[in-house]
Every structure is written in C-alpha cells, then in structure tokens.
Amino acid sequence: MKLVRLLLQRTKLGRTSKRRNITTATRIDMSRKWKRAGTEVKDRRVAKRMKILTSMFGQDDATDVAHISDMPEPVIHHILSFLHPKDAARMSILSKRWKCIWDSFPILVFNQHYFRRWGRDSIKMFKNLIDFSLHGRMKQELSIHKFRLCVNNDPNMQLHIFDWVDGALDLNVKDLEIKVKPWKHMRACILPPSVLAANSITVLNLSGCRLVACDGIKLPLLQKLLLKKLDLCEQLLQGLINGCPLIQDLRLVQCTGLKNIVISTASGLNRVDLHKCEGLESVKLDTPRLQSFWFYAKKQVRCIINLSACRTLKELMLQYPKMTDDMFQRQILEFPGLEKLVLSKCSALKNIQVSGEQLKKLVIRKCWKLVQVLIGAPNLYSLEFEGANMPISLLNPSSIREAKLSFKPLSKGSSDGSFCSEDYRTKLEEFIGKIQRSKGLKSVTLHKLFVTVYEDLRTIPFALGMLSGMQLQISTRLESLIDNFLRARQQLKSLYVVAHRNSKFPQIVRKKIVGQTVDPKCCRSFKNKCWRHELKDIGGEVNWTLMPGYSSKALQELCWQRTAFDFSWRSKR
C-alpha cells in the first residue's frame, strides 16, 4: 500500500509539475500574443490618427501636429482657435486627451445650415448638440471665450434661443454673435434683456433679431458693437453708446429706423461704419479720437455728414453716389492727417483735387463721370484706379511704389481688338512717363488673352494701343505682381516677359514662379488649392515676334526682346 501511495504521489506530482510547466509556457506565449495584439491595436490607432491629420494638414505637418498633444491645454485651445470649426471638431476623435480638450474648448460655433442633410431629425440633433455643449461646460464650471449661433427664425427655435443666450452669459462669454435668418413671415426674434446688461461681453455681433429699448443698458467691458439688419431707434442707439463707456468700434449695417445719428459721448470711439442704413438723413460725429470712418449709401440716399470735430481721422471710405465736387472738397480739407482715402461709386464727382501731406494710399473705383483728378500728395505710396478713362494727374510721382489701373471697354465690342482713343492713350503715357523715374518699378498688363511682365516701364507705351479692357499693375514687389496675375488668370497658358536683350530678368521671373511651387504650405488644409499646388512645369523660349500695337523699329532701337513661357498644369481647376 505504501508503494502504491508513493507511486500515486509521484504521479500527481509529475502531473502537477507538467501542468505547471504547460501553464507557465502558455502564459508566456499568451502574454507575448497580448503584447503583439496590443502593439498592433496601438499601431492601428496611431495610423488612423496620422491618416486624419494627413488629410487635414498634409504629410509634412501631420507629424508636427501629432506632437501638439504634449502641450498644455490652454496652448492647444489657442492653436485650435485658428482652425475651421469642422476641423477643430474632427481633432476630438484622435485620442481620449483630444476628446477632453474638445469638451473644454472655449469657442462654441453652431450653424443650423450644416444640419440640413439630416432631414427631419436635423432640428432635434442641432438642439441636443447645443444643450450638451453648454451643460457640459457648466458642470466643469468653465468660461467660454466665444459663442456664435446662426439659426432660422422659426417658432421652434425662439424659446431655445433665449435659453442658449442666457446659458452663454452664465458662462461669462466674451464674444457673443447671434445671427437669426428670416423665416417666412415671422417677426424678428427678440433677444433676452440680459444681453444688454452683461458684465463679461467685449464683442457683441447681432444680426436679424430685435432689441427692446430699456433704461438698464450696461455693458461695461464692450469694445466692439456690430448691428446688422436691425430695426433701431435713435433712443436705443444713444442708450447703447451711453451704456458702453469703453466702446471703440461701432458698425451699423443695413439697419432701419434711424434718421439722425449724433454721437458725442463716446470719447474712445476710433471707428464708425455706416453701411446702407435706409432713411438716414444726417450724421454728426463729435469724437476727437475717431481714426476710421466708412459710409456706404444707396443711389437715392442724400445724407449730410459732419465730421468737423474728427481732426485725427486717418482712414476715410466713401461710397456716396449723391456726393458732389463741393461736398467732397469741404470734407477732405478738414483732415490734415488723412492716410487712406477710398472713393467708390461716387457717380456725381467730375473734377476733384486730392491733397495731403500724410496721404499714402488712394483708391478710386467706378466713379464713371470723373474727368480730372489732380493729386498733390508728396508721400503717396499706393494708387488704385478703376474706370472707363484716365483722369489722373500726378504732381509728385516720385513716391509711388504700387499702382493698379483697370479700364473697362469703351464699348461692348471693344474687347475684341479695338484700339484706345488718342486722348486715353496720351494721358496714360503721361502717367507712366512720370512714375517711371522711380527705381525698381516692374509692371504687368493683364488682358483676356495673355499676361505680360515688363522689366522697364519705357516699354509700356508701345503697347497702349491694344485692347481697351486692360489692367495695368505696377509695383516694386515682383513676387506680389506674380501672385496677383496667377490668381486672376486661372489656368494661364502663356506668359510674356519683355526685357533688355541681355537681361536676366526673364530667368528671374521664371525662378520666382518655380520657387513658390516647391513644397507650398499656403493652403494645404483647404479643399480648393491655389496656383502653387496646381502648376506642373514652365517652358520658355525667346520669341522675336512683336505683339500687336508695338512699333518694331522703336523696340529694336531700345534692344528689347520678348520671352514666352508656356504653363502646364496638373489638373483643371
């Protein structure tokens, strides 16, 4: 019996040890498999993450973005603020850390337009998303920097707009933007009174809604106020200005109900924009620190503008069809420190004089009845003109560094090859003759058929007899000229460069174009790419055939040559 017991014990011990050996080996093998599986899962997650980043930022920048997750959360929030809301939201699926970062992101942007494809459930999903985002931040006791809401003015949304705006104010929002689109025959949505008594708002942007006039308007930190498509009264506007002691920027766009605007209490106001406010009869601004004034009016509007107290004005933009020559001269003489002047669609102007010691930029667009513009600005740096003729005369052309001249066809059939009038050609030659004394100026002419770059402005007058629908750009910055004409002429087939016979200017132009197409990083995260991503190759050859309108004898005497570059593109844009 003892022998049997001993044999049984040994057998059990052997079996146990064998089982233990098998179990240990199995465990080691299983642990290795688990590690491999875990590594594979991790690799798949990393690959998926890199695939998402590559689609958003490109192959080279994806690795750099992957390292952003190691940065502090406020820094990541600041980086995400520069992305489109859709791209910022997509970052939340990269990892748990990115999910937490997105849940605490202080910029909330909601647009009902993006939810249309969900059909019947779109409104419900839109509401749930906003409620979830606001409640989640309330639980974390966070503050938000910006809250932007774009909704339709339907009955199902009006009560929710109240709750959402109050929720954003409870989170101490700084930048509040509410845009309510009109819906059928519904009246404009009324915003809660708490909007006009918020202590945290610094920027307020309202569009398509209603504000109720009250005595308790108090926005102590507001610096920028933009109201669009609102029905206002003079009492409400005055109350808003009085209740915003720190306001610096006031913009009224397509607002109704205002006849006379008088602003005298906002001492810190430095910018005022009035865009197409119907019924406006007079504007008087007594703000000594005002630096920028924009006034855009419709054709039938007549408005008296009084800016005599704004002696520090630096930028003046006027789109005023009813403004006469006398009205303009009275306004311009009151601003000795004016640096930028823009005149657009001022169809009543005929003969004006622009002068100013500090004027640096002058823009005149679509003032069709202008006959003469006498410019006496010794420090004028940039000039832009768009019209049917050439009315500009320069008294001090030496300071010009940039000029852009665009001419519409003199008649409907002139764009097919008709030549410019003699008076038009003489004035343009005179203008170019004055500014060509400035050193370093290069020019580009843009037609519907081709683009030409000139090394020397002396070659331009030979081409002035060409198509009247010409655009002429002159600048000392060659890179800027190249970028402008390649953006303006998509899928350009050929480019001509006119230069001295032994000059290296054609090779410089080609090198600058090719250099910008090597690994461009300008718009990788955008669906629509610029010309730098689409240009494949440039071929060039010297072409001695002169373009129409040139005098071959004059060109030969000056020893010019024309080089033609042919462009090949990767795909049709």
Side-chain angles (χ1 to χ4, degrees), residues 227 232 237 250-255 258 261 273-275 277:
L227 304 178
L232 301 174
L237 180 61
L250 174 64
R251 307 184 190 187
L252 305 179
V253 182
Q254 299 179 16
C255 292
L258 295 172
I261 296 179
D273 292 6
L274 303 176
H275 290 241
C277 296

Side-chain angles (χ1 to χ4, degrees), residues 82-143:
F82 294 98
L83 297 180
H84 190 276
K86 285 186 177 181
D87 293 333
R90 291 173 64 188
M91 301 292 287
S92 62
I93 66 176
L94 296 177
S95 64
K96 292 181 179 180
R97 173 162 168 74
W98 279 101
K99 179 66 168 60
C100 296
I101 291 171
W102 173 249
D103 290 339
S104 61
F105 189 48
I107 298 178
L108 300 179
V109 179
F110 304 103
N111 193 334
Q112 189 178 356
H113 176 76
Y114 297 146
F115 286 75
R116 293 186 307 169
R117 62 177 183 173
W118 299 104
R120 297 178 180 178
D121 298 332
S122 61
I123 296 178
K124 183 179 179 181
M125 294 180 64
F126 183 66
K127 293 177 180 178
N128 292 339
L129 176 62
I130 300 177
D131 292 337
F132 176 80
S133 301
L134 291 175
H135 292 163
R137 283 156 179 79
M138 288 179 182
K139 288 182 181 180
Q140 300 180 63
E141 297 182 354
L142 299 175
S143 298

Side-chain angles (χ1 to χ4, degrees), residues 48-229:
K48 183 179 179 181
R49 191 182 310 169
M50 291 301 297
K51 184 177 179 181
I52 296 173
L53 292 174
T54 302
S55 64
M56 294 172 62
F57 303 101
Q59 184 66 37
D60 296 337
D61 295 336
T63 306
D64 297 334
V65 176
H67 295 298
I68 294 178
S69 57
D70 299 330
M71 297 181 178
E73 194 169 281
V75 178
I76 300 177
H77 286 162
H78 181 69
I79 295 173
L80 290 179
S81 66
F82 294 98
L83 297 180
H84 190 276
K86 285 186 177 181
D87 293 333
R90 291 173 64 188
M91 301 292 287
S92 62
I93 66 176
L94 296 177
S95 64
K96 292 181 179 180
R97 173 162 168 74
W98 279 101
K99 179 66 168 60
C100 296
I101 291 171
W102 173 249
D103 290 339
S104 61
F105 189 48
I107 298 178
L108 300 179
V109 179
F110 304 103
N111 193 334
Q112 189 178 356
H113 176 76
Y114 297 146
F115 286 75
R116 293 186 307 169
R117 62 177 183 173
W118 299 104
R120 297 178 180 178
D121 298 332
S122 61
I123 296 178
K124 183 179 179 181
M125 294 180 64
F126 183 66
K127 293 177 180 178
N128 292 339
L129 176 62
I130 300 177
D131 292 337
F132 176 80
S133 301
L134 291 175
H135 292 163
R137 283 156 179 79
M138 288 179 182
K139 288 182 181 180
Q140 300 180 63
E141 297 182 354
L142 299 175
S143 298
I144 59 177
H145 177 74
K146 182 176 182 178
F147 182 78
R148 181 183 181 187
L149 178 65
C150 182
V151 296
N152 296 327
N153 186 27
D154 59 76
N156 297 324
M157 284 293 178
Q158 291 191 359
L159 293 177
H160 293 280
I161 292 174
F162 257 71
D163 297 335
W164 294 332
V165 173
D166 285 335
L169 295 176
D170 292 338
L171 292 172
N172 298 320
V173 62
K174 295 181 180 179
D175 188 344
L176 179 63
E177 181 178 352
I178 308 296
K179 184 178 181 180
V180 183
K181 296 182 179 180
W183 191 77
K184 295 183 178 180
H185 300 289
M186 293 292 297
R187 293 188 63 188
C189 175
I190 301 177
L191 293 181
S194 55
V195 174
L196 302 180
N199 295 325
S200 61
I201 294 180
T202 59
V203 179
L204 182 60
N205 188 342
L206 305 178
S207 176
C209 46
R210 277 193 294 164
L211 292 176
V212 179
C214 59
D215 298 330
I217 299 178
K218 188 177 181 181
L219 299 166
L221 299 180
L222 188 70
Q223 298 178 7
K224 182 178 180 180
L225 177 62
L226 193 154
L227 304 178
K228 184 177 181 180
K229 296 182 180 179

Side-chain angles (χ1 to χ4, degrees), residues 228-463:
K228 184 177 181 180
K229 296 182 180 179
L230 267 68
D231 189 9
L232 301 174
C233 63
E234 297 167 9
Q235 179 185 359
L236 177 58
L237 180 61
Q238 196 62 43
L240 284 169
I241 296 173
N242 295 336
C244 307
L246 300 181
I247 188 169
Q248 300 177 2
D249 193 340
L250 174 64
R251 307 184 190 187
L252 305 179
V253 182
Q254 299 179 16
C255 292
T256 57
L258 295 172
K259 289 187 177 181
N260 302 294
I261 296 179
V262 180
I263 301 177
S264 59
T265 57
S267 59
L269 196 63
N270 57 39
R271 175 169 178 171
V272 174
D273 292 6
L274 303 176
H275 290 241
K276 299 180 181 180
C277 296
E278 293 185 3
L280 193 60
E281 297 178 357
S282 66
V283 177
K284 183 178 181 181
L285 303 181
D286 189 3
T287 51
R289 296 184 182 179
L290 190 69
Q291 295 186 359
S292 177
F293 180 71
W294 292 52
F295 182 78
Y296 284 50
K298 293 185 176 180
K299 291 183 178 180
Q300 67 275 14
V301 174
R302 288 183 177 273
C303 183
I304 301 174
I305 303 174
N306 187 353
L307 305 176
S308 58
C310 309
R311 303 291 293 178
T312 60
L313 195 69
K314 293 183 178 180
E315 296 183 358
L316 178 62
M317 279 67 71
L318 299 174
Q319 182 175 309
Y320 189 10
K322 295 294 184 180
M323 183 173 60
T324 62
D325 296 347
D326 294 336
M327 294 171 62
F328 172 76
Q329 295 301 155
R330 286 197 300 268
Q331 289 286 349
I332 200 68
L333 292 175
E334 295 175 350
F335 314 119
L338 194 66
E339 296 179 0
K340 179 180 179 180
L341 175 62
V342 178
L343 301 176
S344 177
K345 298 181 180 180
C346 299
S347 52
L349 294 179
K350 295 182 179 180
N351 296 279
I352 60 175
Q353 182 176 354
V354 180
S355 60
E357 293 290 334
Q358 304 299 325
L359 189 64
K360 297 179 181 178
K361 184 172 183 179
L362 175 61
V363 180
I364 302 175
R365 299 193 192 101
K366 299 180 180 180
C367 300
W368 303 117
K369 295 182 180 180
L370 270 178
V371 177
Q372 184 176 9
V373 180
L374 187 61
I375 302 175
N379 297 312
L380 188 65
Y381 182 91
S382 175
L383 174 64
E384 182 177 343
F385 175 79
E386 180 181 356
N389 52 20
M390 183 60 189
I392 296 176
S393 298
L394 291 174
L395 298 180
N396 306 99
S398 59
S399 61
I400 293 289
R401 290 295 178 269
E402 294 179 355
K404 181 179 179 181
L405 309 177
S406 302
F407 305 99
K408 78 165 192 176
L410 298 178
S411 61
K412 292 184 178 179
S414 62
S415 60
D416 297 331
S418 65
F419 294 87
C420 304
S421 65
E422 189 66 28
D423 183 54
Y424 165 73
R425 176 173 176 168
T426 302
K427 289 184 178 180
L428 191 53
E429 284 184 353
E430 181 183 354
F431 173 81
I432 295 173
K434 288 183 178 181
I435 66 172
Q436 72 181 5
R437 301 168 189 172
S438 300
K439 296 182 180 179
L441 288 179
K442 304 293 184 293
S443 63
V444 172
T445 58
L446 285 78
H447 297 80
K448 290 184 178 181
L449 302 178
F450 49 82
V451 175
T452 307
V453 182
Y454 299 91
E455 179 186 18
D456 196 319
L457 299 188
R458 288 180 294 175
T459 58
I460 297 178
F462 298 118

